[in-house]
Amino acid sequence: MALSGLEIYKLLPGGIKPPHPKANCKECGFPTCLAFAMKLAAKQAELSACKYVSDEAKAKLSAAAAPPIRLITLSADGRKIEVGNETVLFRHEKTFYHPAALMVRVPDTLSAGEIATLARTVADYKVDYVGMALRLDGLAVESVAGEPTRFAEAVAAVRAAVTLPLVLVSEDPQVMAAGLAQTAGVKPLICAATAGNWEAMAKLAKEARAPLAVRADSLAGLAELTEKLTAAGVEDLVLDPAGAARGFAGSLQMLTQLRRLALKKGFRPLGYPIITFPYLAAAEPDMEMLLAGQQVAKYAGFVVLGHFDPADVYPLLVLRANLFTDPQKPIQVEPGVYPINKPGPDAPVMVTTNFSITYFAVANEVESSGLPGWLLVADAEGMSVLTAWAAGKFDAEKIAKTVKGTGIAEKVNHRKVVIPGHVAVLMGELEEELPGWQIKVGPREAVDLPRYLKTAW
Amino acid sequence: MPVIEVPVEKWSGTVRSVTLGATAAEGGTRSHVVVVGGERTLPFLAFEAKPANRPCIAVEVRATNPAEEWAAPLVNAWGAALGDLVAWVKAAEAAGTDVIALQLTTTDNAGQRMNAAKARAAVRTVLNSTGLPVIVLGTGQAELDNEMQVAVAEEGAGERLVLGPCEEKNYRTIVAAAMANGHLVTAKTPMDVNLSKQLTVLIHDMGMPLERIITDPTTGALGYGMEYGYSVMERLRLAALQGDNMTQQPMIVTPGEEAWRAKEARAGEGVPAAWGDWARRAVNWETMTAAALIESGADIVVMRHPEAVARVKKMIAELMAA
Ligand code: SF4
């Protein structure tokens, strides 16, 4: 938990009893130790500016400054993923920072060829969503057979095929060691240490300089393990709540408890990101995706999917993109004229709002239709057509202002403008606001625009 | 080992319990009632408070066949029932719906404008075909909705129907009709906590008891602004639990309508291969939207696809099991 200025002062040369001989020496650039402490609390100064802080005080200060949920990094060659470091329970309180990493399970029972194909499919999967490229983050290679050689071969097959970040899944330290031997150039997540194997796993994690997941059925079991491991010198930890915490209700409750303990209590032993395996509780792929979605929202750092199907993965990636969007920043595009497919003076004129999702939906349809068009984007304060209309931000006056303000009349040789079908009721009013213009009612949904432009324009 | 004290919130507020439908004993003809709301904590946090009423699913049915307008995966799922209201209601019951949501339309099967008489006939058909509570949702066109909902309210007098949507610019007629005939209303506002509170106040000021108002916060579909609705719902629910009286209405949302408006649900051709199989993706779109809204506090989800209904029902059962 962050310390106040006074709490920090009590650790500085001027605040300790008795004071350090250099107290208030000004070398840090501030008139007193207290002033420096205040700046530190406000994160406007660096502790290193004072040369006279004791090592003990330094340790206390850096521990207090550590984030309540530790940031964990996995990397493979060029690619890395970071999770943790979250500061809120609800996205509207600030934002969620590090999107839950979505990994796909690779069981070592597959053949080397199957493994390579699956790994490449996951690595190559990319889908465009409102101008962002959404991707999966990595692979979780699991020892099902429990044989070191087999696991090593599976990890090697993955490494030969792709450069994605990895989770290695086995509770057998010998199997894990064999897998780790194949991960040069990678910082994988070792999964998992349990009450039975933690000493051997700690050794492996230290040798590999890799983060380690701890697996237990209860909060107490998890905390006990992280305390033992931090005492043994392993600090990069991840929590793997097992047992009843695998299913919908158990996961929601335990993950909520973990997030609350970390943020509200500053409870260090559980201040780590969480890994989940939704397929273990939801055997059918359909239900697995729902559980994965729940865990992306509340409050997993890594979610390992039991299968790959684009029709399942795409909605999940979009859900994640939505929930991890910064709610303080309304996603808007600049109001104005957007020419699509090199429109000429006789190209259709269409109007929509500046909510970026609305804009992309409309612009993508026109663009992929191959038909030229002028898209007028009204300043509707970043709301979609229906929402903006209901809120009075996309009315006849606003549309008229957009048509006039953009000077589209000088770019086209006709006087026709298409409005979204959802605001068909504005037609009469708009005819009054825009004398000389013919108001045409377009389809309600962007997806129907190409057909409309071909048949009704 | 440090002691682990899980932070448990001591909420002062409770979401109102609202009863849908009336049995013969209560002046209606429903075989049973459905109670929603009553939550004393955030969704499904059983460690904090005993689970309240299960969120309920309302399958959307129409008197006008939507086969022309709806996407193929949806049309295929219901088949001929789309053109036969009685069959559709029965199929919705078979799909496991808790409540029937009759969605009114602007035109009838002949393409003629809907009117009071036709809406009256539609709600009568639904009431005669099912013992479940019934929700009747208008088109969003004020004049037509008022005309139809007044007739619906009279036809279903005593049935404790849910009539909606009441919106800021059009609520008086529907609220008055609902009050006169013992029904409930939905109060729909565009993704805004304060507007939602205001509309509840306005409707309550007309004399409608708070136990008969359900909030529709408007949500958007997955990928189309759902995160705004999601956060507004979380904020409304937190405010309710913190004791803010005018936010304590149960919430109704329409993931079926929202999701099936999305291109991901509607388009089978000319879309990226990365979107995967159409029918599967489309059902996922509705399921995922509904699931996220339930987990942010929805009490009633109006849905469209039977497979999506089955999955969401299963999810709710799992979440309530703890
Ligand atoms: S450098 Fe600043 S903080 Fe350190 S002893 Fe001198 S005055 Fe105090």
Side-chain angles (χ1 to χ4, degrees):
Chain A
M1 296 286 247
L3 297 180
S4 70
L6 270 182
E7 284 168 327
I8 295 174
Y9 172 65
K10 287 185 185 142
L11 298 167
L12 294 184
I16 51 174
K17 302 229 159 74
H20 188 277
K22 281 285 186 177
N24 301 323
C25 71
K26 301 189 175 52
E27 285 174 34
C28 55
F30 296 96
T32 60
C33 296
L34 182 60
F36 181 57
M38 293 300 171
K39 289 289 171 189
L40 282 177
K43 297 200 164 56
Q44 291 163 351
E46 291 289 331
L47 185 63
S48 56
C50 172
K51 293 195 286 274
Y52 311 108
V53 185
S54 70
D55 285 345
E56 188 197 344
K58 264 188 208 155
K60 275 192 194 162
L61 284 166
S62 72
I69 299 171
R70 193 176 174 88
L71 185 74
I72 297 295
T73 308
L74 304 189
S75 60
D77 309 293
R79 271 174 93 158
K80 71 170 182 178
I81 45 183
E82 289 183 327
V83 300
N85 225 347
E86 300 299 335
T87 60
V88 292
L89 279 150
F90 305 100
R91 57 188 294 282
H92 66 258
E93 293 176 310
K94 181 137 182 69
T95 186
F96 294 157
Y97 290 97
H98 295 102
L102 294 171
M103 327 281 282
V104 174
R105 172 179 187 252
V106 181
D108 70 353
T109 39
L110 298 181
S111 72
E114 287 166 332
I115 289 177
T117 309
L118 176 57
R120 281 199 202 98
T121 309
V122 171
D124 294 343
Y125 185 76
K126 188 173 92 175
V127 63
D128 179 77
Y129 168 67
V130 293
M132 292 188 275
L134 305 182
R135 289 173 168 280
L136 293 162
D137 301 285
L139 297 163
V141 191
E142 182 184 342
S143 163
V144 178
E147 296 162 22
T149 331
R150 179 133 206 183
F151 191 52
E153 282 164 7
V155 177
V158 166
R159 287 292 294 148
V162 298
T163 58
L164 285 176
L166 300 178
V167 180
L168 302 189
V169 187
S170 170
E171 288 185 11
D172 181 335
Q174 264 185 313
V175 171
M176 187 58 74
L180 283 168
Q182 305 297 322
T183 57
V186 184
K187 189 158 112 172
L189 174 64
I190 301 174
C191 188
T194 63
N197 72 13
W198 68 271
E199 282 163 300
M201 286 295 188
K203 202 164 149 271
L204 292 176
K206 280 205 269 190
E207 280 165 11
R209 297 167 180 274
L212 176 60
V214 302
R215 180 177 293 163
D217 290 356
S218 65
L219 295 174
L222 291 168
E224 211 167 301
L225 276 169
T226 62
E227 297 223 301
K228 283 180 180 153
L229 285 162
T230 43
V234 183
E235 297 196 316
D236 284 335
L237 297 171
V238 169
L239 308 173
D240 178 7
R246 295 262 183 240
F248 282 89
S251 173
L252 181 65
Q253 299 195 48
M254 195 183 283
L255 270 59
T256 301
Q257 294 180 342
L258 285 168
R259 178 67 72 95
R260 284 193 189 172
L261 278 162
L263 297 187
K264 299 197 145 193
K265 295 264 172 171
F267 188 70
R268 292 283 170 205
L270 294 175
Y272 301 98
I274 297 159
I275 187 168
T276 63
F277 298 84
Y279 59 89
L280 291 179
E284 308 109 56
D286 308 335
M287 296 309 289
E288 181 199 342
M289 285 301 122
L290 275 191
L291 181 51
Q294 174 190 302
Q295 291 166 337
V296 163
K298 313 215 162 185
Y299 290 106
F302 301 94
V303 177
V304 179
L305 305 175
H307 75 288
F308 171 86
D309 182 325
D312 292 347
V313 159
Y314 174 43
L316 196 57
L317 285 168
V318 172
L319 177 75
R320 180 178 73 170
N322 286 174
L323 296 178
F324 283 82
T325 300
D326 185 348
Q328 326 282 330
K329 279 192 223 138
I331 26 177
Q332 304 186 7
V333 293
E334 278 295 309
V337 189
Y338 288 78
I340 298 172
N341 296 333
K342 303 202 177 69
D346 52 358
V349 174
M350 295 153 275
V351 61
T352 190
T353 74
N354 68 330
F355 180 39
S356 69
I357 294 167
T358 302
Y359 164 79
F360 276 106
V362 176
N364 284 345
E365 287 307 330
V366 180
E367 203 175 300
S368 59
S369 75
L371 300 168
W374 300 96
L375 184 56
L376 305 186
V377 173
D379 182 1
E381 299 181 16
M383 291 185 219
S384 70
V385 168
L386 266 179
T387 318
W389 171 69
K393 310 289 181 197
F394 189 61
D395 53 12
E397 200 184 328
K398 180 64 66 70
I399 295 173
K401 221 175 112 190
T402 308
V403 171
K404 289 178 192 155
T406 48
I408 188 67
E410 281 126 58
K411 294 190 172 74
V412 294
N413 56 17
H414 60 80
R415 293 290 176 268
K416 288 188 286 183
V417 58
V418 183
I419 61 171
H422 279 302
V423 293
V425 291
L426 296 179
M427 186 142 141
E429 247 182 285
L430 202 48
E431 276 166 349
E432 281 170 36
E433 295 271 352
L434 285 174
W437 284 81
Q438 185 191 344
I439 313 302
K440 294 177 72 81
V441 176
R444 273 184 293 191
E445 304 306 332
V447 61
D448 300 319
L449 252 181
R451 197 174 40 166
Y452 173 85
L453 292 176
K454 276 173 203 146
T455 57
W457 171 257
Chain B
M1 247 319 282
V3 192
I4 300 175
E5 278 177 61
V6 175
V8 172
E9 304 282 351
K10 297 210 172 24
W11 301 112
S12 58
T14 307
V15 178
R16 284 193 178 82
S17 288
V18 167
T19 305
L20 280 62
T23 61
E26 296 137 347
T29 62
R30 305 299 84 207
S31 60
H32 63 275
V33 302
V34 168
V35 185
V36 296
E39 294 91 346
R40 298 177 170 278
T41 178
L42 293 168
F44 312 109
L45 297 187
F47 66 91
E48 201 154 78
K50 244 180 59 192
N53 298 297
R54 189 166 58 82
C56 89
I57 297 176
V59 167
E60 176 182 334
V61 300
R62 301 174 171 215
T64 306
N65 190 336
E68 288 286 304
E69 182 198 332
W70 280 10
L74 209 43
V75 173
N76 297 339
W78 294 111
L82 290 184
D84 176 348
L85 186 51
V86 176
W88 197 350
V89 169
K90 298 285 179 211
E93 280 185 346
T97 196
D98 301 302
V99 177
I100 296 291
L102 172 63
Q103 173 67 56
L104 299 173
T105 48
T106 52
T107 54
D108 64 12
N109 277 326
Q112 302 297 310
R113 182 181 182 275
M114 280 292 282
N115 56 29
K118 293 173 196 168
R120 188 185 289 270
V123 75
R124 176 46 52 204
T125 304
V126 173
L127 286 168
N128 289 348
S129 327
T130 182
L132 299 177
V134 175
I135 298 170
V136 183
L137 296 173
T139 62
Q141 292 185 18
E143 215 175 302
L144 180 60
D145 281 357
N146 291 347
E147 181 186 337
M148 292 194 289
Q149 290 288 32
V150 168
V152 166
E154 288 168 8
E155 184 64 32
E159 296 282 10
R160 236 179 138 83
L161 304 173
V162 181
L163 307 181
C166 294
E167 299 183 74
E168 200 205 328
K169 51 190 172 218
N170 184 50
Y171 65 94
R172 295 182 163 275
T173 307
I174 298 173
V175 172
M179 282 200 298
N181 295 286
H183 303 305
L184 324 179
V185 294
T186 73
K188 183 178 168 83
T189 45
M191 298 196 207
D192 186 290
V193 171
N194 290 324
L195 292 179
S196 166
K197 282 170 69 170
Q198 266 172 37
L199 185 57
T200 304
V201 172
L202 289 173
I203 292 173
H204 183 49
D205 281 352
M206 282 185 67
M208 178 62 98
L210 291 169
E211 288 67 30
R212 282 164 56 187
I213 304 174
I214 301 174
T215 288
D216 178 349
T218 312
T219 62
L222 176 65
Y224 293 82
M226 186 194 68
E227 66 273 28
Y228 294 89
Y230 178 94
S231 283
V232 165
M233 289 169 72
E234 286 199 329
R235 288 172 57 203
L236 277 168
R237 187 47 50 88
L238 284 166
L241 296 173
Q242 282 154 5
D244 183 342
N245 200 24
M246 290 297 153
T247 60
Q248 293 173 334
Q249 311 314 121
M251 292 190 271
I252 183 171
V253 292
T254 52
E257 181 192 343
E258 297 289 353
W260 288 96
R261 194 188 279 158
K263 181 174 185 181
E264 281 79 354
R266 294 189 39 168
E269 283 168 24
V271 301
W275 285 18
D277 176 71
W278 179 19
R280 185 174 181 91
R281 175 216 323 145
V283 173
N284 277 336
W285 220 260
E286 180 178 9
T287 313
M288 204 72 115
T289 304
L293 298 180
I294 286 169
E295 292 184 11
S296 57
D299 294 282
I300 304 174
V301 284
V302 183
M303 299 187 63
R304 283 191 180 169
H305 197 288
E307 178 57 34
V309 168
R311 289 187 211 165
V312 169
K313 213 174 158 67
K314 207 162 159 188
M315 179 194 90
I316 293 171
E318 294 253 2
L319 282 164
M320 293 298 290

